[in-house]
Amino acid sequence: MESVVEHVRQVVHDSRISVQPLEETKSNPSDVTSVDGEPFQLLARTIRQVVPEAVVTPWLVVGATDSRHYAGSLQRAPVHGTAIAKDDLRRVHGTDERVGVQAYADAVRVYLQLLRNAAL
């Protein structure tokens, strides 16, 4: 976080402008979850059980999430159990954001199977 603040100060380069993070939102990014680790492998296995044709990939979340509060647990790897097509990418958190009926049903099935697999 400190490096980001310093970068902004250098880019702004104006002594009249003060740059400092808000205390209530200040935090360093979460560690990267390994795709070789058991949490990701459990999730990938689960998704393939429910949607065999799915391509399972890690997802980089560039915004602040609550994942930093779950370090060391399965919850650390954000679970996004819906299919995302090329046209969906431009709508994520934007105009006309939506999830298809089949994608929603698949997401519910993924979450249920994840609970079953994690309980084993």
Side-chain angles (χ1 to χ4, degrees):
M1 186 210 47
E2 290 82 14
S3 66
V4 172
V5 172
E6 185 54 36
H7 175 76
V8 172
R9 285 182 181 137
Q10 288 178 10
V11 169
V12 170
H13 195 65
D14 188 332
S15 61
R16 298 170 297 168
I17 298 174
S18 172
V19 177
Q20 57 192 28
L22 295 173
E23 287 300 318
E24 60 270 17
T25 61
K26 183 168 92 171
S27 69
N28 285 313
S30 307
D31 291 333
V32 174
T33 301
S34 171
V35 295
D36 297 322
E38 181 53 31
F40 187 84
Q41 291 301 311
L42 172 63
L43 180 58
R45 184 171 60 251
T46 299
I47 292 170
R48 288 185 192 109
Q49 287 172 324
V50 176
V51 187
E53 68 276 8
V55 175
V56 181
T57 64
W59 180 271
L60 175 63
V61 179
V62 295
T65 70
D66 58 357
S67 64
R68 64 186 171 272
H69 302 293
Y70 301 106
S73 73
L74 174 62
Q75 291 298 326
R76 193 162 153 217
V79 177
H80 192 291
T82 57
I84 297 177
K86 184 178 179 181
D87 289 342
D88 297 323
L89 291 176
R90 62 184 165 83
R91 290 192 300 261
V92 173
H93 299 313
T95 304
D96 201 21
E97 180 177 30
R98 64 182 180 268
V99 174
V101 173
Q102 184 59 51
Y104 183 76
D106 287 343
V108 171
R109 291 177 30 229
V110 165
Y111 290 123
L112 289 172
Q113 188 63 39
L114 180 62
L115 290 171
R116 288 183 195 108
N117 288 347
L120 296 178

